[in-house]
Amino acid sequence: MFRRRWSGLPADPVFIADLKELGYFVNDMDEIRSIDDSDHYFKYYLTKNNRWNDRQRFAFNRSFAPHSSPIKEPSELNSRTEAIAKIILTRLTVPDTDKNNPNKTNHAFTVRPLPLGTPTTSPHVPILTSPNIATTSRIILLFGESAQSLGVLAHRVIGGRGGISKGSVLGLVSALKTLQSSATDASPPGVVLANTGELWWWPEGGMGLTPTERHDVPMASAVHLGRWHDKAVNEVEGHRNVDEHVKSVFEQVVMNENLVNGKAKVDVIAVGDASDAVEKYLDGEERGRAYVIHHTPLDTPVAGPGGNPGAAGFTFFGCPVYSAGNAQLTETMLIEAQPAVLNWIQQAALEGEAYKNEEFELFGEEGTVITTEELDSPWGTETTGAAESEKVVGEKGRKDVGGMVKETEVGTGGAEKRIEQEAEEKMEGLKLETEKD
């Protein structure tokens, strides 16, 4: 009879969380390339063993020093491991006046642990706020996907074509600085970066991790299946899930007049599953639009607020729906749709209370259009393939419901039933909410 001892299990692989040690560098285009061959980006598949691949990726993405600890001096950064998390946090938090840092995209954000006042050594969720949130007349609040860590939009872009600024919030934050808060306030809006991803507290590392990262931390051996979830150890009070985090950010930060100008308007950008939590919390107290993965060019209307029964996929968001352009994954939607998103936010800010959602109704995809008559018929009618795909409705088609500008739904009882059925389905999208006092 044979018996395997615990000591006989293969040791868990160890990788140093430093780009140079891992064989990478950041070039002058802000892209991460291989030291051995600068034509190559980050390589996930080191071996056929996914545990080795996952552990390398964890070291590549993460700095083992708690990223919520305060950064006091630029020289202090040199003593920490140089991983993606540290690079992004450094650029977001080091002041613009830091002459020792060659990067010119620094933003002087403040790291704030939630719940507010929690020591950084205790379980908490860090968020970032710009230095002007106490005085600005407008706040941009960003909720990213729960699959991404703080400041990250898409690791596939950070470690590949596009680079660090494009694949993270760095490029977005820089662009937001070029906007003006309103028609009467030319100063840029303040920014609050929420953190829906890092809700699983890792006590040994002193930081929160995403649902995927929690299984990539060091294990007793390379064949252990994953990390057990201990509610008493791994959960953060008030941030056990995305819904709780959204609620906490609004009530502890956005509505906290000790931190934020109490008269400021709030624009919300939410990505993926965070959009569901934001919409649930606001409960119709907003004007907004949604962007979805679609084959049409960026900003092409896909559906009106009543949805598009003839479109492929879910379109019943209760607001105008537009194409996210070239995006084919949820994590790249905000990257690809950023120009359209920023233009719309600026439009809403400049028009103020006069802004209204666009009015249109769409039925079907290009070349397979469903007409209003077909929706009214239980058997349908023969399609022409050349029917008009967009119909603009007049002012009489507009309703104000619970503070949200909402167009009248068009269709029969059957279409309404379909709306209810499809509303139960889960589909990730990019949801924008604006103008909540």
Side-chain angles (χ1 to χ4, degrees):
M1 180 177 179
F2 296 94
R3 179 169 62 94
R4 165 165 277 187
R5 297 178 180 274
W6 286 105
S7 59
L9 296 177
D12 205 23
V14 176
F15 294 91
I16 298 176
D18 183 272
L19 289 186
K20 185 177 181 180
E21 292 290 337
L22 293 170
Y24 297 95
F25 74 102
V26 181
N27 67 10
D28 55 2
M29 295 187 295
D30 203 33
E31 292 185 337
I32 299 174
R33 301 293 185 94
S34 170
I35 294 175
D36 293 336
D37 188 343
S38 60
D39 289 335
H40 291 114
Y41 298 105
F42 171 69
K43 182 180 179 181
Y44 168 75
Y45 290 104
L46 281 182
T47 72
K48 293 182 179 181
N49 189 313
N50 278 346
R51 181 58 183 170
W52 263 253
N53 300 333
D54 290 342
R55 290 287 292 134
Q56 181 218 200
R57 180 180 60 187
F58 184 73
F60 182 83
N61 291 346
R62 279 290 179 182
S63 169
F64 288 164
H67 64 43
S68 55
S69 56
I71 297 175
K72 299 178 180 178
E73 299 292 339
S75 59
E76 181 185 349
L77 295 170
N78 298 328
S79 64
R80 302 184 182 186
T81 51
E82 186 77 12
I84 299 301
K86 178 201 163 181
I87 293 174
I88 295 173
L89 184 74
T90 301
R91 296 187 188 181
L92 285 171
T93 56
V94 173
D96 286 319
T97 56
D98 176 21
K99 298 180 180 180
N100 296 319
N101 194 311
N103 194 287
K104 298 180 180 180
T105 57
N106 302 327
H107 302 287
F109 275 53
T110 298
V111 181
R112 299 185 186 277
L114 297 181
L116 289 175
T118 303
T120 55
T121 54
S122 300
H124 67 279
V125 177
I127 65 168
L128 293 166
T129 60
S130 63
N132 63 334
I133 61 170
T135 57
T136 184
S137 62
R138 183 172 295 273
I139 298 289
I140 307 295
L141 174 55
L142 173 64
F143 290 98
E145 280 189 282
S146 64
Q148 306 292 354
S149 53
L150 180 62
V152 172
L153 295 178
H155 273 296
R156 70 180 67 243
V157 178
I158 292 175
R161 186 184 301 273
I164 298 173
S165 292
K166 184 176 181 180
S168 69
V169 300
L170 289 166
L172 176 63
V173 170
S174 295
L176 289 173
K177 282 187 172 182
T178 66
L179 304 183
Q180 64 182 75
S181 296
S182 69
T184 58
D185 182 1
S187 64
V191 180
V192 176
L193 301 177
N195 188 358
T196 61
E198 301 174 351
L199 306 185
W200 192 86
W201 180 253
W202 180 32
E204 296 88 343
M207 66 175 73
L209 300 176
T210 67
T212 299
E213 290 174 333
R214 58 173 279 201
H215 297 295
D216 298 337
V217 301
M219 300 288 183
S221 78
V223 294
H224 274 65
L225 293 179
R227 186 65 177 262
W228 177 259
H229 178 77
D230 186 336
K231 293 183 178 181
V233 175
N234 305 124
E235 291 186 351
V236 179
E237 184 69 26
H239 301 268
R240 298 178 183 88
N241 52 52
V242 176
D243 287 350
E244 286 191 3
H245 180 69
V246 168
K247 182 176 184 292
S248 294
V249 170
F250 272 107
E251 296 180 3
Q252 292 191 26
V253 180
V254 176
M255 299 179 186
N256 185 345
E257 295 190 10
N258 292 323
L259 295 177
V260 176
N261 177 9
K263 296 182 179 179
K265 297 288 186 180
V266 178
D267 294 345
V268 182
I269 303 174
V271 184
D273 54 347
S275 64
D276 295 328
V278 170
E279 188 173 28
K280 179 180 177 181
Y281 178 80
L282 294 179
D283 193 23
E285 297 181 15
E286 76 281 347
R287 293 177 292 179
R289 62 169 53 184
Y291 283 86
V292 298
I293 295 173
H294 201 259
H295 64 273
T296 53
L298 176 62
D299 226 19
T300 300
V302 175
N308 183 345
F314 183 85
T315 59
F316 300 95
F317 291 102
C319 63
V321 182
Y322 300 83
S323 170
N326 294 328
Q328 298 188 24
L329 298 166
T330 301
E331 65 183 30
T332 61
M333 290 178 69
L334 183 53
I335 297 173
E336 296 294 341
Q338 181 175 305
V341 170
L342 295 180
N343 286 339
W344 180 70
I345 287 178
Q346 186 66 100
Q347 177 190 355
L350 294 178
E351 294 185 17
E353 297 299 328
Y355 175 81
K356 302 294 183 183
N357 283 343
E358 288 188 272
E359 300 174 348
F360 57 81
E361 297 163 4
L362 297 178
F363 304 101
E365 301 281 6
E366 293 181 348
T368 58
V369 176
I370 298 175
T371 65
T372 307
E373 289 75 14
E374 290 178 288
L375 288 177
D376 290 338
S377 170
W379 300 104
T381 58
E382 184 178 351
T383 59
T384 64
E388 189 177 45
S389 61
E390 181 173 345
K391 177 183 177 184
V392 180
V393 298
E395 192 67 28
K396 65 180 180 181
R398 182 187 301 276
K399 288 184 180 179
D400 249 306
V401 181
M404 179 174 71
V405 179
K406 180 180 180 182
E407 279 78 8
T408 306
E409 294 182 353
V410 177
T412 65
E416 292 173 357
K417 183 177 181 181
R418 186 186 305 179
I419 293 174
E420 295 175 358
Q421 291 173 343
E422 292 200 38
E424 300 296 325
E425 298 176 2
K426 174 71 175 178
M427 174 179 179
E428 294 184 340
L430 185 152
K431 179 77 174 178
L432 305 177
E433 317 291 354
T434 187
E435 299 284 339
K436 180 178 183 295
D437 287 317

